[in-house]
Amino acid sequence: MRGEFKVPGGKLATIEIEYCDGFITKASLSGDFFLEPDEALSRINEAIVGLPITAKVTEIAQAITSNLHRDDTLVGFTAKDIGFAVRRALGASTSWHDHVFTLIQDQPRSPAMHMALDQVYAEALSQGTRGPTLRFWDWACPAVVIGSFQSLSNEVDQETAHSHGITIVRRISGGGAMFIEPGNTITYSLVVPGSLVDGLSFEESYEFLDTWILNALNTLGIDATYKPLNDITSPVGKIAGAAQKRLHDGTVLHHVTMAYDIDADKMGQVLRIGREKLSDKGIASANKRVDPLKSQTNMERHEIVDSFIDSFSTQYTLVMGSVSCEEEAAAQALVESKFGTTAWLGRIP
């Protein structure tokens, strides 16, 4: 069995393995990496032999590291990267290229409906009724979307929000509050199987799932970088924030909100961003934290979205899709039973 792992910005590690009765019996590593001395290659292969086929990436990496000598040097790859290759050889881990992604460019909908559709798509992938999905959508009205574990009263000035006609909803993922305005926001969700992030920590999976959009932003001339835990930034300000929800089987819902344009004063009135949250930003005002894509690109919103989709499709397999009647009905049922209720919104008052 053969598995490959291309290190981001590094080299390719390829592993061929054989196994019997649940244990690896043979391992042969190759690739365009650098390794000194030559004997270190045998030590790596020997470390993999005897491991159970259920070994996780960290366990494989630890076995390799323990078997290496002090002067053994790996250049362009790490023991953990070999672990990813082994997991792919065993069929436990997958790459982007192993999947066909369905693109949905959704119509404007209510904030509660969008929250519900995210859950519907994640559960559909978990149940095997849909494959991985990339969904871009528009908003039917302005909104504030708070994280699953945030306090409603601590995060949002509800009276001011209502005076501006802003709907408040709670999503199923963690993270912070997002200020949304139709036409001024670019939002998408990526629903992927757990095998795609196999071996990655929760924190590492954020950067991994954001890599494609960073490439897309770089193509537009934006010096975009990932900032742990869940931000995408540029030298002039924050561009986007991401949030994740993992289902019991490992399915990942990864959604991102980007500012195309923004009414920073209104955002400051509606969101209660405390001093503690701003303390590590080195700035005194929340209004200076975000720099929208409009000012950085001088492009229309739809042009930016189209360029994102083009960038994804040139890297991976993407086919067109749409929201089915059954999925829309399931989402509407969730709005009525969960996302549109005061009980869900105020579950943490």
Side-chain angles (χ1 to χ4, degrees):
M1 304 180 71
R2 188 171 188 269
E4 295 182 343
F5 183 77
K6 174 64 173 66
V7 182
K11 297 299 183 177
L12 176 70
T14 301
I15 191 81
E16 293 183 0
I17 63 173
E18 296 177 8
Y19 68 89
C20 182
D21 296 329
F23 291 89
I24 297 173
T25 57
K26 185 177 180 180
S28 178
L29 177 68
S30 62
D32 60 354
F33 49 78
F34 299 94
L35 179 64
E36 294 290 344
D38 286 354
E39 292 76 17
L41 183 61
S42 296
R43 287 189 277 274
I44 292 173
N45 291 331
E46 291 166 0
I48 298 170
V49 172
L51 291 174
I53 61 174
T54 56
K56 303 297 184 184
V57 170
T58 52
E59 296 170 331
I60 298 168
Q62 184 177 10
I64 293 171
T65 302
S66 298
N67 208 46
L68 290 174
H69 292 180
R70 179 177 298 180
D71 294 333
D72 291 346
T73 303
L74 285 65
V75 181
F77 74 123
T78 67
K80 190 173 183 180
D81 297 327
I82 301 171
F84 285 121
V86 171
R87 293 285 289 175
R88 287 183 178 177
L90 293 168
S93 178
T94 57
S95 74
W96 293 91
H97 300 286
D98 294 324
H99 302 285
V100 175
F101 294 83
T102 298
L103 171 66
I104 296 177
Q105 291 182 274
D106 205 2
Q107 64 190 38
R109 299 180 188 271
S110 71
M113 192 66 172
H114 282 312
M115 300 304 101
L117 281 169
D118 266 353
Q119 180 172 329
V120 165
Y121 281 117
E123 292 177 347
L125 177 58
S126 177
Q127 296 162 6
T129 57
R130 244 195 194 276
T133 303
L134 173 63
R135 183 172 74 98
F136 282 88
W137 71 82
D138 295 326
W139 300 80
C141 65
V144 167
V145 183
I146 62 174
S148 180
F149 310 108
Q150 288 190 296
S151 163
L152 174 60
S153 58
N154 287 348
E155 299 297 329
V156 187
D157 185 325
Q158 297 176 66
E159 184 175 342
T160 301
H162 292 151
S163 71
H164 287 297
I166 296 172
T167 300
I168 307 170
V169 291
R170 185 186 295 273
R171 61 180 183 267
I172 59 174
S173 60
M178 296 294 183
F179 178 72
I180 306 293
E181 292 181 304
N184 283 348
T185 308
I186 297 174
T187 320
Y188 71 85
S189 59
L190 189 61
V191 180
V192 300
S195 62
L196 186 61
V197 295
D198 177 73
L200 296 175
S201 68
F202 189 84
E203 293 81 1
E204 290 170 332
S205 69
Y206 271 90
E207 182 174 14
F208 178 76
L209 293 176
D210 280 340
T211 300
W212 77 271
I213 197 68
L214 291 175
N215 292 336
L217 288 166
N218 293 158
T219 300
L220 295 179
I222 299 174
D223 184 16
T225 56
Y226 166 75
K227 183 176 181 180
L229 170 66
N230 60 332
D231 286 350
I232 297 173
T233 67
S234 74
V236 291
K238 177 178 174 178
I239 296 172
Q244 278 188 16
K245 173 67 178 180
R246 295 202 182 194
L247 275 56
H248 63 87
D249 68 334
T251 295
V252 180
L253 165 64
H254 181 89
H255 38 203
V256 174
T257 298
M258 295 184 164
Y260 170 69
D261 200 359
I262 194 167
D263 187 333
D265 290 332
K266 187 185 293 184
M267 180 183 72
Q269 296 170 24
V270 174
L271 298 185
R272 289 175 170 163
I273 304 176
R275 291 182 180 178
E276 187 66 24
K277 184 165 185 176
L278 292 175
S279 63
D280 66 341
K281 308 298 180 181
I283 55 176
S285 171
N287 294 4
K288 298 178 182 178
R289 294 181 61 206
V290 178
D291 192 78
L293 291 175
K294 183 178 182 179
S295 64
Q296 295 199 53
T297 64
N298 292 317
M299 295 172 64
E300 296 294 326
R301 179 185 175 280
H302 70 89
E303 293 176 324
I304 295 176
V305 173
D306 288 345
S307 71
F308 288 166
I309 294 171
D310 287 343
S311 181
F312 191 98
S313 63
T314 57
Q315 297 177 71
Y316 313 117
T317 304
L318 191 64
V319 297
M320 294 297 297
S322 60
V323 181
S324 70
C325 295
E326 294 78 11
E327 290 164 343
E328 191 165 4
Q332 186 57 50
L334 275 175
V335 170
E336 295 171 3
S337 65
K338 181 177 181 178
F339 293 103
T341 67
T342 54
W344 171 253
L345 178 61
R347 75 184 190 108
I348 303 178

